[in-house]
Amino acid sequence: MMETVPARQGRAVRLRAGQAIRIVNTHGSQVVDTWAFNAADPTEAMSMEHLHAFLGSVFPGQGDALVTNRRRPILILEEDTSPGRHDTVIAACDLHRYQSLGCKGYHDNCTDNLHAALSMIGFPCPQVPAPLNLWMNIPINPDGSITWGEPLSRPGDHVILRAVLDCVVVMSTCPQDMIPINGRDCTPVEVQFQILD
Amino acid sequence: MMETVPARQGRAVRLRAGQAIRIVNTHGSQVVDTWAFNAADPTEAMSMEHLHAFLGSVFPGQGDALVTNRRRPILILEEDTSPGRHDTVIAACDLHRYQSLGCKGYHDNCTDNLHAALSMIGFPCPQVPAPLNLWMNIPINPDGSITWGEPLSRPGDHVILRAVLDCVVVMSTCPQDMIPINGRDCTPVEVQFQILD
């Protein structure tokens, strides 16, 4: 059954080891901030800074294991039909980020979406690890500067993440509409997902 | 007064806003994993993933503000006499890292040094943010792969970090002796530091 993460929102799902989640970039332009927590211990979570050392790369590719802060795989990036550009160095957006861009008042954001999604399934967790930003296109130049690119993905591209541990996976359809991180029309949209046994 | 962080150990110091710490790479070859926590609230800490978005770069340079997970400056990198190559994408080493490199039994590591150093000053904090790895030379190649380089710094190079908030700064002289991250002789050594008003 296909389910939806509405635009600008978060959803959390539980996966048993061996199950997988297929996340579909329905419109091709949507960044999805993604986290994974050990279902038995929320202090163990997928960790980008540990992943960099584990992979020897800032760009995970098809077949790569995604590791936790204990340096063991929690998910496998089993399939990726997109050009494979996913960001691992940028924090989830939060209210402070939108305020720094000039937003007055509240703005939906991936950090609050993470907490809301975890609350919905009764798995509260105070920590906010650096996310795997699916389809977020952030080239890193030789001098270390980054470019805020548009996604390279196409409508219908998907990734399959296979659980190695019993875990909770959280997705947030990034509500960024002030810079073209979700495509040049700056319009966050929904994505779909499916649990695979 | 110059103080010492012995080889393979951690030290924590409290800085009031306006004070600074000078950290000297005494032998030129030593990586120093560095953290900063808001003294009034340890859930606010210097955050590399937020820094990347704030700076638009993975390499902070002289004059740059170093921000927290609330995207406000906690330290300023006021002075840097070294070639300025400091890593911001690699996790602190931990026992799991050394085991993955083939170490049997215990190995000193920066994660345990962080906790020990914070305990020494009565500021326990369970979280382990991604550190600012002073002098750790990790070039990122265009394909995203990283190179585990040797420090580019010279004996006596120093940085000055000026506190914007009342904070706790933690330094760990990285005990990595299994790959040449602390120079080709793989010998962790001491560094020195000094509090400046």
Side-chain angles (χ1 to χ4, degrees):
Chain A
M1 187 183 72
M2 293 294 279
E3 298 180 75
T4 298
V5 186
R8 317 173 74 93
Q9 294 191 27
R11 290 292 185 271
V13 297
R14 291 177 182 271
L15 294 182
R16 291 187 307 276
Q19 285 188 308
I21 185 168
R22 187 164 79 95
I23 307 174
V24 182
N25 200 337
T26 312
H27 300 278
S29 57
Q30 181 59 47
V31 167
V32 181
D33 285 37
T34 306
W35 293 266
F37 298 88
N38 180 341
D41 177 1
T43 70
E44 181 173 13
M46 183 167 69
S47 169
M48 295 302 103
E49 60 265 30
H50 294 80
L51 180 66
H52 297 154
F54 182 82
L55 293 181
S57 176
V58 297
F59 293 139
Q62 184 168 296
D64 281 339
L66 308 176
V67 301
T68 71
N69 51 337
R70 295 187 201 154
R71 301 184 195 256
R72 59 175 178 165
I74 188 168
L75 294 170
I76 305 290
L77 179 48
E78 186 174 277
E79 195 170 295
D80 185 355
T81 67
S82 77
R85 180 56 66 88
H86 310 290
D87 168 68
T88 64
V89 305
I90 299 293
C93 62
D94 51 30
L95 190 53
H96 311 294
R97 170 70 170 146
Y98 292 104
Q99 289 176 339
S100 75
L101 290 170
C103 177
K104 310 293 182 193
Y106 188 72
H107 191 290
D108 296 321
N109 64 81
C110 289
T111 300
D112 288 355
N113 285 349
L114 166 67
H115 294 309
L118 288 172
S119 292
M120 278 189 256
I121 65 160
F123 191 85
C125 175
Q127 64 168 321
V128 182
L132 170 62
N133 294 311
L134 290 172
W135 300 298
M136 187 168 170
N137 178 21
I138 303 286
I140 301 177
N141 305 306
D143 66 354
S145 65
I146 63 169
T147 303
W148 300 89
E150 299 174 22
L152 303 178
S153 39
R154 297 147 302 198
D157 272 340
H158 73 253
V159 296
I160 294 177
L161 302 173
R162 178 78 56 182
V164 179
L165 306 174
D166 290 354
C167 63
V168 169
V169 172
V170 186
M171 299 156 282
S172 169
T173 48
C174 179
Q176 176 57 268
D177 53 9
M178 300 179 75
I179 63 172
I181 209 71
N182 292 305
R184 67 189 58 185
D185 58 356
C186 290
T187 304
V189 289
E190 83 282 6
V191 300
Q192 292 181 291
F193 67 94
Q194 181 179 22
I195 308 297
L196 308 173
D197 282 307
Chain B
M1 185 185 74
M2 293 295 278
E3 299 180 75
T4 298
V5 186
R8 318 174 74 94
Q9 294 190 26
R11 290 293 184 270
V13 298
R14 291 176 183 272
L15 295 183
R16 291 187 308 277
Q19 286 187 310
I21 184 167
R22 189 164 78 96
I23 307 174
V24 182
N25 200 336
T26 312
H27 300 277
S29 57
Q30 182 60 44
V31 167
V32 181
D33 285 37
T34 306
W35 293 266
F37 299 88
N38 179 341
D41 177 2
T43 70
E44 181 173 13
M46 183 167 68
S47 169
M48 295 302 104
E49 59 266 30
H50 294 81
L51 180 65
H52 298 155
F54 181 83
L55 292 181
S57 176
V58 298
F59 293 138
Q62 184 169 295
D64 282 337
L66 308 176
V67 300
T68 72
N69 50 337
R70 294 184 203 159
R71 302 186 193 255
R72 59 174 179 168
I74 188 167
L75 295 171
I76 305 289
L77 179 49
E78 186 174 278
E79 195 169 294
D80 185 356
T81 67
S82 77
R85 179 56 64 91
H86 310 290
D87 168 68
T88 64
V89 304
I90 298 294
C93 62
D94 51 31
L95 190 52
H96 310 293
R97 170 71 170 146
Y98 292 104
Q99 289 175 339
S100 74
L101 289 170
C103 177
K104 310 294 183 193
Y106 188 73
H107 191 289
D108 296 321
N109 63 81
C110 289
T111 301
D112 288 353
N113 286 350
L114 166 67
H115 295 308
L118 287 172
S119 293
M120 277 189 256
I121 65 159
F123 191 85
C125 176
Q127 63 169 324
V128 183
L132 170 61
N133 294 310
L134 291 171
W135 300 298
M136 186 168 170
N137 178 21
I138 304 285
I140 301 178
N141 305 307
D143 66 354
S145 65
I146 63 170
T147 302
W148 299 90
E150 299 174 24
L152 303 177
S153 39
R154 297 146 304 202
D157 273 338
H158 72 254
V159 296
I160 294 177
L161 302 172
R162 179 79 56 182
V164 180
L165 305 174
D166 290 355
C167 64
V168 170
V169 171
V170 185
M171 300 156 282
S172 169
T173 48
C174 180
Q176 178 57 269
D177 53 8
M178 300 178 75
I179 62 172
I181 209 71
N182 292 305
R184 68 190 57 187
D185 59 356
C186 291
T187 304
V189 289
E190 83 282 5
V191 300
Q192 291 180 293
F193 67 95
Q194 181 179 23
I195 308 297
L196 309 173
D197 282 307

